[in-house]
Amino acid sequence: MEETAIPFKNLHSRDYQGHKKKVHSVAWNCSGTKLASGSVDQTARLWHIEPNGHGKVKDIELKGHTDSVDQLCWDPKHADLIATASGDKTVRLWDARSGKCSQQVELSGENINITYKPDGTHIAVGNRDDELTILDVRKFKPIHRRKFTYEVNEIAWNVTGDKFFLTTGNGTVEVLAYPSLQRVDTLMAHTAGCYCIAIDPQGRYFAVGSADSLVSLWDIKEMLCVRTFTKLEWPVRTISFNHTGEYIASASEDLFIDISNVQTGRTVHQIPCRAAMNSVEWNPKYNLLAYAGDDKNKYQADEGVFRIFGFESA
């Protein structure tokens, strides 16, 4: 009788060092060949990752921001364009080949969340004052601004780009039509604030991570909660679906990253970590998971490291 393979068994993590302070955000480009990391040290770095390679990893530094780079996202249609959001109030667009900033715009507050529309035409940015700005990518100018009266956390478009989701501090997910930004639905998702959202790349589900330590999975057509993932005990800070939509990774201040089967809700693997996690993201082509947190060295200084799990050897 053939043994059923245990997913992710015997796979290893590798460390990527370069930043001088902790890494807030990690993101893969659309071809899965480059990873970007954004840090409190006011820089972003781009790393060329070979899925099974052992070569020395070269990275280039994106310099220019004057405050923490809190979140970054790649153009979903272009493997060499990346946008960064910073506490310095600017959003910048960079060319990954040259490492040069090609566009920038100054907005009204400290930017903490950023996401691309799946067709690459618009970027949504959220700031600390719960203001949402939509940028036209080509002109790199705001085409829409809206201030909310409640705490707005992570934001996302659906796969087709006609719905826009806001997670809120009230435990709801606001579903807006796009581009009108008219409210279509308010989902009572959690008993505490919702912090993060991920869209299943197959377009069937979305998932929400909350301060109540749960991750909820929603049917995107029906707008109904299908199941919850209950392994974490601390507020869920970051979640990500893998490229096939089979697995979901979630992380918090718990000292492990949970990987669960989306259909059964069961944990299939846990990656131990040494600190609270800020960002987890699956590669869009391979089962490689990048993750970054508040890691400190033995002198209690930020390590400035992120890791990638899923390699056959360390």
Side-chain angles (χ1 to χ4, degrees):
M1 196 179 112
E2 205 180 310
E3 213 184 331
T4 54
I6 301 170
F8 310 111
K9 195 177 185 275
N10 302 329
L11 295 177
H12 299 268
S13 289
R14 293 184 188 165
D15 297 16
Y16 296 83
Q17 239 140 359
H19 286 289
K20 295 173 183 67
K21 292 197 169 142
K22 72 180 174 192
V23 177
H24 260 185
S25 178
V26 283
W28 295 94
N29 70 349
C30 59
S31 60
T33 54
K34 286 180 180 167
L35 185 103
S37 53
S39 166
V40 179
D41 70 11
Q42 307 183 0
T43 72
R45 284 174 181 263
L46 307 179
W47 311 73
H48 187 79
I49 310 288
E50 301 269 348
N52 22 28
H54 283 288
K56 168 114 178 66
V57 178
K58 289 204 297 290
D59 69 313
I60 61 171
E61 196 175 37
L62 307 183
K63 282 217 267 280
H65 282 297
T66 56
D67 202 340
S68 173
V69 179
D70 279 329
Q71 213 179 22
L72 31 75
C73 61
W74 292 85
D75 184 321
K77 297 286 184 211
H78 196 306
D80 285 304
L81 290 180
I82 181 168
T84 54
S86 167
D88 66 11
K89 300 188 178 180
T90 68
V91 173
R92 292 171 188 242
L93 194 64
W94 309 79
D95 185 313
R97 292 157 299 200
S98 64
K100 298 270 188 293
C101 175
S102 55
Q103 302 265 31
Q104 71 176 73
V105 62
E106 183 156 340
L107 302 179
S108 59
E110 295 180 36
N111 304 307
I112 49 173
N113 285 305
I114 187 167
T115 188
Y116 256 97
K117 189 163 173 248
D119 65 4
T121 57
H122 294 166
I123 291 173
V125 187
N127 72 16
R128 271 193 211 287
D129 308 317
D130 307 311
E131 187 174 27
L132 175 73
T133 303
I134 308 287
L135 298 173
D136 175 299
V137 173
R138 226 161 33 94
K139 300 191 180 77
F140 222 66
K141 293 224 167 17
I143 51 173
H144 217 102
R145 275 205 179 94
R146 179 172 306 177
K147 180 111 163 78
F148 293 91
T149 52
Y150 44 81
E151 177 188 311
V152 173
N153 294 314
E154 219 170 40
I155 49 184
W157 270 278
N158 64 347
V159 172
T160 47
D162 58 356
K163 286 203 175 71
F164 190 77
F165 297 90
L166 307 167
T167 57
T168 82
N170 310 332
T172 65
V173 177
E174 300 295 333
V175 186
L176 311 181
Y178 196 82
S180 71
L181 295 178
Q182 296 303 308
R183 189 160 77 191
V184 197
D185 220 335
T186 297
L187 307 176
M188 303 294 182
H190 290 270
T191 55
C194 296
Y195 286 160
C196 50
I197 184 164
I199 310 287
D200 159 31
Q202 307 299 323
R204 302 160 301 179
Y205 304 111
F206 64 93
V208 178
S210 165
D212 65 12
S213 86
L214 300 175
V215 174
S216 57
L217 182 76
W218 296 75
D219 181 304
I220 213 157
K221 274 206 210 50
E222 310 288 335
M223 291 288 165
L224 290 172
C225 182
V226 188
R227 68 183 55 85
T228 53
F229 303 87
T230 58
K231 268 291 180 283
L232 299 172
E233 290 180 14
W234 289 85
V236 184
R237 293 179 171 197
T238 173
I239 55 180
S240 177
F241 285 96
N242 81 324
H243 65 286
T244 60
E246 282 173 279
Y247 301 109
I248 188 165
S250 54
S252 62
E253 293 171 54
D254 291 273
L255 295 183
F256 62 87
I257 296 162
D258 182 69
I259 301 176
S260 285
N261 181 305
V262 169
Q263 294 307 333
T264 65
R266 287 200 196 95
T267 294
V268 295
H269 191 74
Q270 289 182 347
I271 304 167
C273 40
R274 292 177 220 159
M277 285 293 114
N278 296 317
S279 182
V280 298
E281 195 172 90
W282 288 102
N283 182 295
K285 305 273 192 248
Y286 312 97
N287 279 337
L288 294 175
L289 183 75
Y291 58 101
D294 296 342
D295 294 78
K296 302 259 194 256
N297 63 19
K298 61 177 190 244
Y299 307 108
Q300 289 308 299
D302 281 0
E303 252 193 322
V305 67
F306 69 88
R307 295 179 172 88
I308 300 174
F309 168 81
F311 294 107
E312 311 245 306
S313 66

